[in-house]
Amino acid sequence: MLPPSPLARRLSFQSVLFAFGEGTFLTGSAVFFTQIVGLSAAQVGLGITIAGLTSFFFAVPLGKFADRIGPKQAWALAALGEALLYLVWPWIGGFAAFVGTLVLLEIVGGLGHAGRQAYTLDVFTREERVRSMAFMRSALNIGFTVGALFGGLALALDSDAVIRAVPVLTAVILGLNGFLISRLPDAQHAEVEVAAPAEEAMKTGALRNKGFLAMSFFDGVLGTNQVLLNVVIPLWLVEETDAPRVLLAWLFATNTVLAVLLQVAAARGADTVPGALRASRISSLFFVASCLIVLVTHDTVGWITIVLVWVGHVTVTGAELFQSAGAWGLQAELSDPQKRGEYAGASSLGYTAGSVWAPALYTYLAMEWGTPGWLVIAGIVVLATVGIHPSAHAAGRYLSRESTAAPA
């Protein structure tokens, strides 16, 4: 029940702290942006989309920057930047300021992701890497849950002053988070090296590893289990079944509990490429099972519907847990150890391309096509499962060629 090393325990605590801070703000962010900043729901959605596109284009450059200054330094710098930007939220007004702040947060968050990913892969041994990351993921779920409770309490007080204070609290927590990150031991990747000539870097960079990019894309498709979990199944429950809406609370509570308790178990054996691919296959099986279970609830009634929807949500949670484990193993084994940050950025690039379209498409397929639509969704995931295997092997062959060709 505890992380395998003192460092893993420190990082798990840091994960709880980070998620608590962000979860507190995110819970009431819709109210904050509409009532305090004065935006419409459409403006909030447009701003989030613009910021998401920005992070997509900056993913690889931010990864390279993290490699240049060192992963821990990049991670700590990003945490401090996030804290400062959250202090700005209570003072902004209008759409332009909202978009500008959100874009900066996405850029800083991208740098933090690259630094955190590179640091985590570097600082742990191969044997404890994936298991430690699983504990950190469980810790994130705990932190977001506690943060959601605090955010809900702030909303329940129905006070603009309290809502304005929430991002300040988040800033304080993230500032403490940045300090704790700066006190972590250095990883192997921490020493800044002289950059390779631009021509040589272009020949060997992460974007040249087409297998890795394809693998990340297919992993992004497998990661669309989150769309099923958070968007499609809730909409389906409300509009296409006779299940009571209160069931949604039980679904998300079950997901949180399972994610905390079973993520480490799901990650067992995923610390090699074959093991990670096996986890991806298991994730796909759970995903397809969820589609097949949920689609029949259109024609069921009463407790049968409730039980089937709940089981469908549990199976898609299984898809989430095994997909995460497979992704960690593949990224750990198929990233260039000297370019962890850059490969983290490339992974984000491919993952986003493989998942950004899913909310619109899956919602349309399920809600408009019904049973055939659910089968198409399942088919998309099966194709991604097939595709991730040769792309992962191609990524491994590319790294082998590069290590062989590198000067001694």
Side-chain angles (χ1 to χ4, degrees):
M1 295 297 294
L2 291 176
S5 67
L7 178 58
R9 289 191 281 275
R10 288 176 66 180
L11 288 172
S12 294
F13 173 76
Q14 178 275 325
S15 296
V16 172
L17 188 67
F18 165 79
F20 170 65
E22 289 222 333
T24 301
F25 178 76
L26 289 175
T27 301
S29 60
V31 174
F32 180 87
F33 293 138
T34 53
Q35 293 188 9
I36 304 301
V37 183
L39 303 175
S40 67
Q43 286 177 316
V44 173
L46 178 59
I48 293 172
T49 300
I50 293 171
L53 290 173
T54 302
S55 66
F56 179 81
F57 289 110
F58 276 86
V60 174
L62 289 171
K64 291 182 177 180
F65 182 67
D67 284 333
R68 181 67 61 85
I69 68 174
K72 188 184 79 172
Q73 290 78 0
W75 187 14
L77 178 64
L80 177 60
E82 284 185 298
L84 293 175
L85 286 168
Y86 271 98
L87 287 176
V88 173
W89 278 132
W91 311 105
I92 69 167
F95 181 67
F98 164 70
V99 172
T101 305
L102 204 59
V103 165
L104 289 175
L105 268 171
E106 283 290 330
I107 292 174
V108 170
L111 177 63
H113 169 77
R116 180 180 186 270
Q117 183 80 3
Y119 179 84
T120 306
L121 294 180
D122 272 353
V123 79
F124 292 117
T125 64
R126 181 180 181 182
E127 292 74 21
E128 64 179 1
R129 184 183 291 150
V130 172
R131 187 163 183 261
S132 297
M133 294 175 78
F135 274 105
M136 292 166 64
R137 174 67 174 269
S138 295
L140 282 174
N141 278 287
I142 294 172
F144 278 120
T145 300
V146 177
L149 292 175
F150 270 76
L153 178 62
L155 291 175
L157 295 175
D158 197 24
S159 165
D160 285 356
V162 172
I163 295 175
R164 283 183 180 275
V166 168
V168 177
L169 172 63
T170 296
V172 172
I173 294 171
L174 295 183
L176 175 59
N177 176 55
F179 172 76
L180 293 178
I181 293 170
S182 69
R183 305 300 296 174
L184 292 171
D186 285 337
Q188 297 175 10
H189 204 130
E191 294 184 3
V192 180
E193 299 179 0
V194 178
E199 182 179 352
E200 184 63 26
M202 290 179 63
K203 291 180 180 179
T204 62
L207 293 180
R208 300 283 295 184
N209 190 337
K210 300 300 191 295
F212 186 85
L213 292 175
M215 179 199 74
S216 300
F217 172 83
F218 290 127
D219 184 55
V221 178
L222 295 180
T224 57
N225 56 67
Q226 293 298 294
V227 177
L228 233 61
L229 188 79
N230 297 314
V231 180
V232 181
I233 291 180
L235 284 175
W236 179 265
L237 180 150
V238 171
E239 297 188 14
E240 302 294 334
T241 78
D242 67 341
R245 296 187 179 186
V246 69
L247 179 60
L248 289 172
W250 290 99
L251 296 182
F252 287 109
T254 301
N255 171 260
T256 300
V257 171
L258 293 179
V260 171
L261 296 180
L262 299 181
Q263 182 64 81
V264 175
R268 190 174 295 120
D271 51 358
T272 65
V273 172
L277 291 175
R278 176 178 174 273
S280 297
R281 293 193 297 272
I282 296 174
S283 171
S284 178
L285 288 174
F286 275 116
F287 197 123
V288 171
S290 179
C291 292
L292 297 179
I293 292 168
V294 174
L295 72 85
V296 304
T297 60
H298 183 271
D299 301 313
T300 57
V301 295
W303 277 102
I304 295 177
T305 302
I306 292 173
V307 171
L308 287 177
V309 171
W310 182 80
V311 173
H313 212 256
V314 168
T315 52
V316 83
T317 298
E320 173 192 5
L321 300 182
F322 281 97
Q323 180 270 327
S324 298
W328 298 329
L330 292 173
Q331 291 171 15
E333 293 298 301
L334 299 176
S335 297
D336 186 338
Q338 298 303 316
K339 300 177 181 178
R340 296 282 196 196
E342 183 178 344
Y343 268 77
S347 175
S348 295
L349 192 69
Y351 189 95
T352 302
S355 59
V356 69
W357 44 267
L361 180 61
Y362 284 6
T363 302
Y364 173 78
L365 288 172
M367 307 307 292
E368 300 297 329
W369 286 21
T371 296
W374 282 103
L375 296 177
V376 171
I377 294 171
I380 290 171
V381 173
V382 170
L383 290 176
T385 308
V386 172
I388 200 171
H389 288 72
S391 59
H393 295 315
R397 290 194 297 270
Y398 178 89
L399 287 180
S400 296
R401 289 196 302 271
E402 291 302 314
S403 63
T404 301

